[in-house]
Amino acid sequence: MALEITQFLLAAQSADAKIRTEAESNLSQFREQNLPGFFLSLAVELSNDGKPTESRRLAGIVLKNSLDAKETVRKQQLVQQWLAIDSSCKSQIKSLLLSCLGSSVREASHTASQVIAKIASIEVPQKQWPELIGSLLVNMTQQGSPASVKQATLETLGYVCEEISHHDLVQDEVNSVLTAVVQGMNVEEESVEVRLAATRALYNALDFAQTNFDNEMERNYIMKVICEAATAKEGQLRQAAFECLVSIASTYYELLEPYMQTLFQLTAKAVKEDEEAVALQAIEFWSSICDEEIELQDYEVPDSGDSSVQHSRFIEKALGVLVPMLLETLLKQDEEQDQDDDIWNLAMAGGTCLGLVARTVGDAVVPLVMPFVEANIMKPDWRSREAAIYAFGSILEGPSIEKLSPMVHAGLKHLLDAMKDNNEHIRDTTAWTLSRIFELLHTPASGFSVITPANLQQIVEVLLESIKDVPHVAEKVCGAIYFLSQGYEDAGTSSSLLTPFITQIISSLIATADRTDSGSKLRTTAYETLNEVVRCSNLSETSQIINHLCPVIMDKLAQTFELQILSSDDREKQGDLQASLCGVLQVIIQKLSSADETKAIILQVADQIMTLFLKVFACRSSTVHEEAMLAIGALAYATGSDFLKYMPEFYKYIEMGLQNFEEYQVCSISVGVVGDICRALDDKILPYCDGIMTLLLKDLSSGELNRSVKPPIFSCFGDIALAIGEHFEKYLQYALPMMQSAAQMCAQLDNSDDEMLEYGNQLRRSIFEAYSGLLQGFKSTKANLMLPHAPHLLQFIELVAKDSPRDESVTKAAVAVLGDLADALGSSAKTIFKDPAFLEQLLGECLQSDDEQLKETATWTQGMIGRAFSVCG
């Protein structure tokens, strides 16, 4: 039964904290004592036009938030709560909500639309609200239905389509929805609000319309209605129509050919003449076409040109008119665009689209852009000069080195001079362009670089002078230094070219990080750049420089403990700074410990570094926790078995990390560090294994922990087994069932979703890595412990071998574990390898691979299996 809750809802919004708290407490009590009654009371409040708008608004919000949550586990709980409510009570609530769509108060009908969609997201997939679509469509077809009801109904249809999957509606329902939506969009519809709601609903319904788009007559009609809306008088309606076209560009690319002439005219007109919000969508349409064509080119079989979707080469065909249109937009800059990261304007959208065009058509873009660059680069007004440099920087990815090289060589000096321009917009764009040049055209290892011994000194001098510029320019200069350094990684003798400048570069970056005239973003960027400079330097020539840098960074980290913390903001700033400094120390540790000659430098200061890291943990900031954990993993690798002395103090932080479900990245990194420590300590980790394994098994069983942490846990089982060998026996009864149920789950994952496909590959790989660790760990003394589990492993390998396409890293792990199985079980292997056909096929495929490492692993595995059989024989 519904209760009168108006006064509670109004009091819950009171300015008086006491009244507010009491009202919230009363509402919570009602909710806990009688959830169905609470929901019904909220629905009654929302749907009653006689109630105050304020109480109705809050009733709707509370009801909506009681049906959905961002956090997966909480969302599941809310879904179950709703499903458990008596069906007659639910029917009453739904009926009230549907009636609220006819409310004269727009805010109430709008909220009701959202709540209906949330209920639909729960019930429609379970076939529990079959009459919903029909009920909504009555509002659209009823004679004399007011415009406000049509608007609310269309809005509801849009929200419902957004919430459910296109598999949840039968085609008849889809047809009816699209008919109602397209009719609502029609030019004959007098109400602009109805047309706008219909256009927005269509945007959400496009995924459902595959069958309708496949039908030429229906498709023509839908496209006609959208194109008419794109030329409507009202800007919001035009914007919504172009948003539909952007979505169609990616969803129905292969069907666009007959409409492209019209679409070009519409988008060109919008870009040149329309208000910015509409023009941005018009440019986005072409960016989406580029994205589709880039993807088609990436997946095309070079010899056959074969791909499931026909590549229509729209960008190539429109190039002559599209590029000039985009170049014009570059002159429409915003005065504030460099200072504010959130700004997105016509010039930025045009430059981004131009970059995608360059990636789509390659060399063909260059002769269309370079005349614009040459015509504007020397003009007196800053907008022309900035647009010229932005155009130049935008086309550096896509065209061939042969095409780009002459113009970059010719333009480099001008760009270096432009870093001294009086206008900071120009300096900002120039720094960005230089970083793009160094990222894309500076790879000495491959034999090509625009940087030569002749111009390197001038480049470094300009960058180190420009890093003192205003913060947003300095940030881009850091990016240029980052890619300049990265280019010299593994570049043989060429890497020595940068060595004379390393000390100066490091000093400038530290000074930049210490600047007081900028926020934390520049400091973070400066430290990230410093990391790259250290990581890519020639160690044999820079070890002493890095040796001197280490105590400087340690001192800076020590100073963070003295900072005065008076607010959460202060705590956050301290955390960010500590994170950056731990990151630098991690890179220093990795660099110096990568060669025997320099490892001693780290060993001498390891105790002091570890003390600092432990102090960082005591500050309890999660960002720091992450960076400090990663740095400790590097220190464990560097110190090897000596790391044992830190374990008594450090172990409690491992426990905290492994139990940090909230910040799952911290948990994942902690799992990785346990693996690092296992490799460092071998069986000396044993005293800590009971605690670690208990926590890892608990993590795997948890429904709260983000799924991405689970694959690293399986890999970690392998690391622990490898470290403690036969002592892992007591954990087998717990670990193996987890591994086996995860292997079964792999077969049920939805591979149509890219994210799920990637997760599935990580899971498969980690299960194989776990088995490899177990097999190698037990090999010497207790290999037969694995004998009963071998058939399950082989079954899993066979299942994965049937996957098509199959991720190469998964194949590698599967083949490696096959070899480990044969190696560990030796003479017992013959009883297991009963069906060698799939093994021969898998190994044969790997031996034909272009991947040398995979070929090597397959050869070794073949040898192990052969040896096992010859021992049996």
Side-chain angles (χ1 to χ4, degrees):
M1 197 183 84
L3 292 180
E4 175 63 50
I5 57 170
T6 309
Q7 293 314 313
F8 293 144
L9 290 165
L10 291 172
Q13 301 171 73
S14 168
D16 184 322
K18 187 168 180 292
I19 295 172
R20 197 168 62 244
T21 308
E22 191 181 338
E24 285 168 355
S25 168
N26 285 326
L27 288 168
S28 294
Q29 204 174 346
F30 182 15
R31 182 197 182 103
E32 281 157 30
Q33 287 171 355
N34 182 1
L35 188 67
F38 179 64
F39 280 179
L40 184 57
S41 302
L42 291 169
V44 166
E45 187 76 24
L46 175 59
S47 61
N48 188 339
D49 272 358
K51 295 290 185 181
T53 304
E54 293 78 11
S55 64
R56 296 176 76 185
R57 181 197 302 122
L58 185 58
I61 290 168
V62 172
L63 191 49
K64 180 164 76 86
N65 292 344
S66 301
L67 295 163
D68 193 19
K70 281 183 182 171
E71 212 274 305
T72 313
V73 177
R74 176 73 184 138
K75 183 172 181 159
Q76 283 304 321
Q77 289 168 347
L78 296 176
V79 167
Q80 292 312 315
Q81 275 181 4
W82 172 260
L83 291 172
I85 292 172
D86 175 70
S87 59
S88 66
C89 179
K90 284 192 290 197
S91 292
Q92 266 183 283
I93 292 168
K94 292 186 290 193
S95 185
L96 286 163
L97 290 167
L98 286 168
S99 72
C100 189
L101 297 179
S103 171
S104 57
V105 180
R106 175 75 190 105
E107 200 171 341
S109 62
H110 172 69
T111 307
S113 294
Q114 294 176 312
V115 181
I116 290 167
K118 291 298 176 192
I119 296 173
S121 73
I122 300 170
E123 294 200 351
V124 171
Q126 305 204 20
K127 310 295 179 208
Q128 287 190 8
W129 199 357
E131 70 279 14
L132 169 64
I133 299 297
S135 305
L136 290 170
L137 293 172
V138 167
N139 292 344
M140 297 302 296
T141 52
Q142 218 165 30
Q143 200 66 36
S145 197
S148 59
V149 174
K150 287 185 178 179
Q151 180 188 359
T153 303
L154 287 163
E155 193 170 47
T156 308
L157 285 168
Y159 286 142
V160 168
C161 289
E162 190 177 16
E163 290 286 346
I164 65 174
S165 157
H166 60 91
H167 300 298
D168 296 328
L169 297 184
V170 296
Q171 190 57 44
D172 281 352
E173 289 176 312
V174 173
N175 294 343
S176 301
V177 168
L178 284 171
T179 301
V181 166
V182 172
Q183 276 175 357
M185 287 175 70
N186 223 311
V187 285
E188 277 79 51
E189 173 56 59
E190 290 170 11
S191 165
V192 174
E193 286 77 15
V194 169
R195 285 189 77 191
L196 183 58
T199 309
R200 287 175 175 163
L202 179 64
Y203 177 83
N204 287 323
L206 283 168
D207 271 350
F208 295 72
Q210 180 71 57
T211 304
N212 310 82
F213 262 80
D214 287 342
N215 178 313
E216 188 183 353
M217 210 165 78
E218 291 183 40
R219 180 174 72 242
N220 286 343
Y221 189 63
I222 294 170
M223 291 300 288
K224 171 180 168 288
V225 170
I226 296 172
C227 291
E228 284 169 353
T231 56
K233 285 205 305 284
E234 299 75 20
Q236 273 190 312
L237 185 49
R238 294 196 302 276
Q239 183 183 341
F242 275 111
E243 282 168 6
C244 288
L245 291 174
V246 171
S247 178
I248 288 168
S250 52
T251 315
Y252 301 111
Y253 168 89
E254 70 279 14
L255 299 170
L256 282 178
E257 180 84 63
Y259 315 103
M260 285 308 284
Q261 190 61 45
T262 304
L263 294 176
F264 182 80
Q265 287 162 0
L266 278 176
T267 50
K269 186 172 167 38
V271 171
K272 287 191 175 101
E273 300 168 16
D274 215 326
E275 56 195 71
E276 188 172 72
V278 181
L280 286 171
Q281 290 304 320
I283 292 174
E284 189 61 30
F285 171 81
W286 289 102
S287 292
S288 289
I289 295 285
C290 288
D291 287 334
E292 289 305 305
E293 297 199 345
I294 289 166
E295 196 173 337
L296 284 171
Q297 282 157 203
D298 287 346
Y299 291 106
E300 250 177 12
V301 179
D303 297 336
S304 63
D306 181 40
S307 88
S308 57
V309 174
Q310 182 62 39
H311 189 333
S312 299
R313 311 205 178 277
F314 294 135
I315 299 298
E316 198 179 293
K317 291 169 188 170
L319 206 57
V321 277
L322 179 60
V323 170
M325 177 184 90
L326 294 173
L327 290 171
E328 280 304 304
T329 66
L330 304 189
L331 294 159
K332 297 178 180 175
Q333 304 96 325
D334 189 316
E335 288 281 358
E336 305 300 314
Q337 68 185 37
D338 299 325
Q339 280 86 345
D340 186 350
D341 287 340
D342 296 327
I343 281 184
W344 183 247
N345 60 28
L346 215 53
M348 296 166 89
T352 303
C353 187
L354 185 60
L356 290 168
V357 168
R359 285 177 56 199
T360 309
V361 301
D363 288 358
V365 82
V366 176
L368 292 170
V369 171
M370 285 314 290
F372 175 87
V373 174
E374 286 154 8
N376 287 282
I377 197 83
M378 301 306 286
K379 280 190 179 169
D381 71 299
W382 74 265
R383 288 180 186 278
S384 298
R385 299 202 307 282
E386 194 273 344
I389 294 168
Y390 189 23
F392 187 79
S394 296
I395 61 165
L396 293 170
E397 187 178 4
S400 62
I401 283 177
E402 293 72 24
K403 193 77 175 171
L404 292 172
S405 180
M407 68 181 211
V408 172
H409 276 298
L412 192 56
K413 185 178 183 316
H414 181 89
L415 290 170
L416 295 172
D417 290 341
M419 287 305 297
K420 303 180 186 78
D421 197 284
N422 292 332
N423 184 282
E424 67 182 50
H425 294 293
I426 288 175
R427 300 197 301 275
D428 186 278
T429 303
T430 304
W432 170 79
T433 300
L434 286 170
S435 76
R436 298 256 300 164
I437 289 171
F438 301 156
E439 179 188 5
L440 301 164
L441 298 165
H442 165 52
T443 49
S446 70
F448 177 79
S449 175
V450 295
I451 299 171
T452 63
N455 62 20
L456 178 59
Q457 181 165 351
Q458 190 198 355
I459 288 169
V460 173
E461 282 170 3
V462 168
L463 293 176
L464 297 189
E465 188 53 42
S466 299
I467 206 170
K468 300 169 192 166
D469 207 329
V470 292
H472 64 87
V473 176
E475 235 175 83
K476 310 277 193 322
V477 173
C478 284
I481 295 171
Y482 182 99
F483 290 117
L484 174 71
S485 303
Q486 194 180 75
Y488 288 114
E489 185 182 13
D490 302 327
T493 52
S494 294
S495 63
S496 300
L497 292 173
L498 198 61
T499 304
F501 306 104
I502 294 283
T503 304
Q504 217 180 336
I505 291 171
I506 288 174
S507 301
S508 291
L509 288 167
I510 290 173
T512 303
D514 287 343
R515 278 170 63 161
T516 54
D517 65 336
S518 67
S520 61
K521 193 170 174 218
L522 176 58
R523 185 178 62 208
T524 304
T525 307
Y527 279 129
E528 283 171 357
T529 304
L530 176 59
N531 291 346
E532 200 64 3
V533 171
V534 171
R535 198 180 67 77
C536 300
S537 66
N538 184 324
L539 182 60
S540 60
E541 297 170 351
T542 58
S543 59
Q544 281 314 305
I545 300 170
I546 299 168
N547 184 14
H548 290 135
L549 175 63
C550 191
V552 173
I553 301 298
M554 286 166 67
D555 284 348
K556 284 187 174 297
L557 187 53
Q559 285 161 26
T560 64
F561 308 126
E562 312 303 320
L563 292 171
Q564 199 174 13
I565 308 296
L566 299 173
S567 65
S568 59
D569 197 34
D570 290 342
R571 171 74 65 203
E572 193 181 337
K573 283 177 184 167
Q574 180 198 42
D576 288 345
L577 179 54
Q578 288 174 339
S580 289
L581 293 165
C582 286
V584 180
L585 284 172
Q586 180 194 345
V587 173
I588 290 173
I589 292 164
Q590 287 169 330
K591 189 72 179 177
L592 291 175
S593 59
S594 66
D596 291 338
E597 306 81 58
T598 51
K599 192 183 271 195
I601 300 171
I602 287 299
L603 299 181
Q604 283 161 14
V605 289
D607 289 358
Q608 293 147 271
I609 292 178
M610 192 65 189
T611 304
L612 287 169
F613 290 156
L614 292 170
K615 272 192 174 180
V616 167
F617 279 116
C619 289
R620 295 288 170 88
S621 161
S622 70
T623 49
V624 159
H625 204 7
E626 231 170 285
E627 301 291 341
M629 266 291 177
L630 287 165
I632 285 172
L635 192 65
Y637 175 82
T639 55
S641 59
D642 286 348
F643 191 83
L644 187 63
K645 63 183 170 184
Y646 308 128
M647 282 301 288
E649 182 64 23
F650 177 50
Y651 179 68
K652 65 182 174 199
Y653 296 115
I654 290 180
E655 283 190 316
M656 279 164 57
L658 293 179
Q659 292 175 90
N660 194 340
F661 288 7
E662 289 287 304
E663 292 141 346
Y664 65 89
Q665 295 95 333
V666 174
C667 188
S668 185
I669 286 165
S670 302
V671 172
V673 169
V674 168
D676 293 335
I677 293 169
C678 286
R679 286 186 284 279
L681 296 184
D682 288 326
D683 59 357
K684 290 177 185 165
I685 187 87
L686 195 55
Y688 300 96
C689 282
D690 281 0
I692 289 170
M693 281 299 294
T694 302
L695 289 170
L696 292 177
L697 290 163
K698 195 173 160 191
D699 285 354
L700 279 178
S701 310
S702 165
E704 286 174 55
L705 184 59
N706 187 287
R707 67 169 188 237
S708 66
V709 185
K710 299 194 176 182
I713 291 174
F714 287 121
S715 301
C716 194
F717 283 174
D719 294 328
I720 294 170
L722 207 50
I724 64 173
E726 63 184 48
H727 300 290
F728 196 86
E729 182 180 354
K730 64 175 171 179
Y731 308 123
L732 266 187
Q733 60 181 312
Y734 309 107
L736 274 165
M738 294 274 197
M739 288 157 61
Q740 286 166 1
S741 69
Q744 282 161 355
M745 199 182 91
C746 286
Q748 293 150 20
L749 292 175
D750 175 15
N751 287 341
S752 64
D753 178 78
D754 284 351
E755 206 176 300
M756 197 53 91
L757 183 66
E758 174 58 27
Y759 172 68
N761 286 332
Q762 288 170 356
L763 195 56
R764 291 175 180 88
R765 189 167 60 241
S766 67
I767 295 166
F768 288 140
E769 285 169 358
Y771 273 113
S772 278
L774 293 172
L775 288 161
Q776 290 174 41
F778 289 132
K779 178 182 152 185
S780 311
T781 50
K782 296 189 173 177
N784 283 349
L785 285 171
M786 293 302 290
L787 202 52
H789 308 289
H792 186 279
L793 172 57
L794 274 175
Q795 203 180 338
F796 183 44
I797 295 170
E798 190 167 0
L799 190 74
V800 169
K802 287 175 184 163
D803 279 354
S804 179
R806 193 180 335 108
D807 184 77
E808 197 131 290
S809 66
V810 173
T811 307
K812 215 172 282 184
V815 172
V817 79
L818 259 180
D820 288 325
L821 188 64
D823 184 26
L825 297 182
S827 58
S828 312
K830 193 166 189 179
T831 55
I832 294 152
F833 293 125
K834 287 176 184 152
D835 175 20
F838 98 86
L839 297 179
E840 282 168 18
Q841 192 181 338
L842 178 64
L843 291 173
E845 177 198 315
C846 297
L847 291 167
Q848 300 300 312
S849 169
D850 295 336
D851 184 324
E852 285 305 319
Q853 212 182 346
L854 180 57
K855 216 184 276 187
E856 208 176 293
T857 306
T859 306
W860 174 79
T861 295
Q862 202 176 36
M864 286 297 124
I865 293 172
R867 197 179 74 179
F869 274 79
S870 65
V871 170
C872 305

